[in-house]
Amino acid sequence: MMRTRPLKVALLGCGVVGSEVARIMTTHADDLAARIGAPVELAGVAVRRPDKVREGIDPALVTTDATALVKRGDLDIVVEVIGGIEPARTLITTAFEHGASVVSANKALLAQDGAALHAAAEEHGRDLYYEAAVAGAIPLIRPLRESLAGDKVNRVLGIVNGTTNFILDKMDTTGAGYQEALDEATALGYAEADPTADVEGFDAAAKAAILAGIAFHTRVRLDDVHREGMTEVTAADFASAKEMDCTIKLLAICERAEDGASVTARVHPAMIPLSHPLASVRGAYNAVFVESDASGQLMFYGPGAGGAPTASAVLGDLVAVGRNRISGTTGPGESAYAALPVSSMGEVVTRYHISLDVADKPGVLAQVATVFAEHGVSIDTVRQQGKDGEASLVVVTHRASDAALGGTVEALRKLDTVRGVASIMRVEGE
């Protein structure tokens, strides 16, 4: 039976995502009401520029006083899509204090202060949902938090930033350099005027922290995630990848240690075999590969950003939270019972592709192989090309720790026959 009293929703932010949320709430009002069990009413919209025309939104609902809006006391749900740490953090906790549940798309805040926000939600008996914080429209948070709650997730490997995937895909398929591909991404609206958060891996690292926390029932903060950007990836790296039947992606990787006693979370460029499902993810799309004990390998794929796709995830949470409000219950909160330690990057074990500039003379390969052996790093394959007294030496290792590889490279730099280390690239997905 439909409840006649509407659920009152406040919207914090009315940009690309917020405006789509408001539009869908209006155009799909009847469907949303049927799915929730009560009408949904947009009760207020907090913005920075009140004079801007916002199609489909009653100007009387618009305010610049977000604090007063969340303090009203009659709100059922607050949707936060303003991003950043403050004032979002204070507004969310204030919403809880005044009786509202919260739907957020704020990956940076959740990665930094997710535990405190969950604690505030629990203290006040309210929901905190954030499907839109990771991978846009792709259903990922809820499957990890609910559908796989009875399983043991061992690894989450994914492309979670559309901007970087677009750039790397262009470099791979057209031979474009990094700057050329970035310029195209900017022209098409995939990259911000300042792309630092994307290309330096900050955006992906925040998402990795959220995914690792949910997958491993452990609190993982942004500071726990090892992060490397992709601005140093070159056409030569793609040429080397192709020789190995690989491509290069910026990956977010969350892993449980083989002994199950710890976890790691990291973001960095990596070579990945063309046979792996993630290798075929093109353009600005996202995809996340999940490996677990019982369900095996699962892949979630789709548009990872944009107003409409992200709004779709927000509205999905809105329906779930609305149903909880009507039934007087709350959904799952934070699950951090495992409390596993987060290991440093030095303990991560993977394969490596190392390209060295060396002197083209007898004995060089033997010297290099000796250094690898002395540091306990086993070599899988070696490829050498020489011309006019100079040569390139490409070494692909078996699995080794990051710390062992770091010591190996440091020792290689001290050899008179090694002119320089051209590139180091991890090899994942095997």
Side-chain angles (χ1 to χ4, degrees), residues 195-211:
T196 302
D198 294 323
V199 300
E200 294 295 350
F202 291 100
D203 176 85
K207 295 169 182 176
I210 295 170
L211 291 175

Side-chain angles (χ1 to χ4, degrees), residues 39-110:
V40 178
E41 174 188 324
L42 185 59
V45 182
V47 300
R48 287 183 296 177
R49 294 179 292 170
D51 296 333
K52 180 180 177 181
V53 176
R54 294 173 172 84
E55 186 177 350
I57 296 178
D58 183 351
L61 297 177
V62 177
T63 178
T64 58
D65 193 343
T67 300
L69 179 60
V70 298
K71 283 184 174 181
R72 279 179 36 166
D74 64 339
L75 298 175
D76 293 289
I77 303 170
V78 169
V79 176
E80 183 272 308
V81 287
I82 57 177
I85 305 303
E86 289 291 357
R89 173 171 49 198
T90 299
L91 291 171
I92 288 173
T93 55
T94 302
F96 290 143
E97 292 166 1
H98 288 79
S101 291
V102 173
V103 173
S104 176
N106 196 330
K107 54 188 171 288
L109 178 58
L110 288 159

Side-chain angles (χ1 to χ4, degrees), residues 20 60 76 82 134 137 146 154 173 209 214 221 251 292 305 310 406-407:
E20 279 294 309
D76 293 289
I82 57 177
V134 180
E146 299 177 29
N154 296 309
T173 58
I214 297 171
R221 300 181 73 250
L251 298 177
S292 64
T310 305

Side-chain angles (χ1 to χ4, degrees), residues 167 170-181 184 234-235 238:
I167 293 170
K170 282 294 176 182
M171 293 176 70
D172 183 24
T173 58
T174 71
Y178 166 74
Q179 189 60 51
E180 182 182 354
E184 183 175 352
T234 66
F238 275 102

Side-chain angles (χ1 to χ4, degrees), residues 285-303:
Y285 274 68
N286 284 191
V288 177
F289 204 71
V290 178
E291 301 174 9
S292 64
D293 277 0
S295 58
Q297 298 178 330
L298 305 170
M299 183 162 148
F300 301 83
Y301 170 85

Side-chain angles (χ1 to χ4, degrees), residues 138-430:
I138 304 172
L140 185 59
I141 300 297
R142 196 169 292 127
L144 283 174
R145 190 162 66 172
E146 299 177 29
S147 303
L148 296 176
D151 206 344
K152 179 184 178 183
V153 176
N154 296 309
R155 195 179 199 215
V156 179
L157 173 76
I159 299 164
V160 294
N161 183 277
T163 300
T164 55
N165 198 59
F166 178 88
I167 293 170
L168 292 172
D169 185 36
K170 282 294 176 182
M171 293 176 70
D172 183 24
T173 58
T174 71
Y178 166 74
Q179 189 60 51
E180 182 182 354
L182 173 59
D183 290 344
E184 183 175 352
T186 304
L188 292 172
Y190 293 130
E192 301 287 345
D194 179 1
T196 302
D198 294 323
V199 300
E200 294 295 350
F202 291 100
D203 176 85
K207 295 169 182 176
I210 295 170
L211 291 175
I214 297 171
F216 306 133
H217 305 279
T218 292
R219 287 178 178 169
V220 179
R221 300 181 73 250
L222 182 58
D223 292 344
D224 296 322
V225 182
H226 174 83
R227 176 195 56 78
E228 297 173 26
M230 43 75 70
T231 58
E232 302 300 319
V233 176
T234 66
D237 292 324
F238 275 102
S240 295
K242 287 180 179 179
E243 290 178 356
M244 294 179 59
D245 290 326
C246 291
T247 188
I248 298 172
K249 299 291 187 182
L250 184 74
L251 298 177
I253 305 169
C254 311
E255 291 181 309
R256 190 188 299 269
E258 290 185 4
D259 62 4
S262 64
V263 298
T264 58
R266 50 197 164 103
V267 169
H268 54 72
M271 293 183 180
I272 189 166
L274 295 176
S275 58
H276 195 282
L278 291 178
S280 62
V281 178
R282 300 297 184 189
Y285 274 68
N286 284 191
V288 177
F289 204 71
V290 178
E291 301 174 9
S292 64
D293 277 0
S295 58
Q297 298 178 330
L298 305 170
M299 183 162 148
F300 301 83
Y301 170 85
T310 305
S312 170
V314 170
L315 268 297
D317 280 350
L318 184 69
V319 170
V321 173
R323 289 169 175 168
N324 291 343
R325 293 286 288 194
I326 290 173
S327 63
T329 62
T330 57
E334 182 188 32
S335 175
Y337 73 90
L340 297 171
V342 183
S343 298
S344 69
M345 186 63 187
E347 298 175 67
V348 170
V349 176
T350 189
R351 297 179 67 205
Y352 289 87
H353 176 284
I354 305 102
S355 180
L356 305 171
D357 295 327
V358 299
D360 186 14
K361 61 182 183 181
V364 173
L365 180 56
Q367 286 183 323
V368 169
T370 297
V371 170
F372 275 88
E374 288 174 346
H375 288 80
V377 179
S378 175
I379 293 176
D380 182 17
T381 62
V382 177
R383 185 175 69 256
Q384 184 173 8
Q385 294 177 325
K387 184 179 180 182
D388 299 329
E390 299 296 329
S392 63
L393 191 65
V394 175
V395 178
V396 179
T397 74
H398 288 289
R399 289 171 60 82
S401 72
D402 190 78
L405 196 282
T408 303
V409 172
E410 185 178 347
L412 287 170
R413 295 183 193 275
K414 296 178 181 178
L415 293 178
D416 292 338
T417 51
V418 175
R419 311 298 193 213
V421 180
S423 70
I424 302 172
M425 186 79 66
R426 296 176 182 89
V427 183
E428 303 285 351
E430 296 185 316

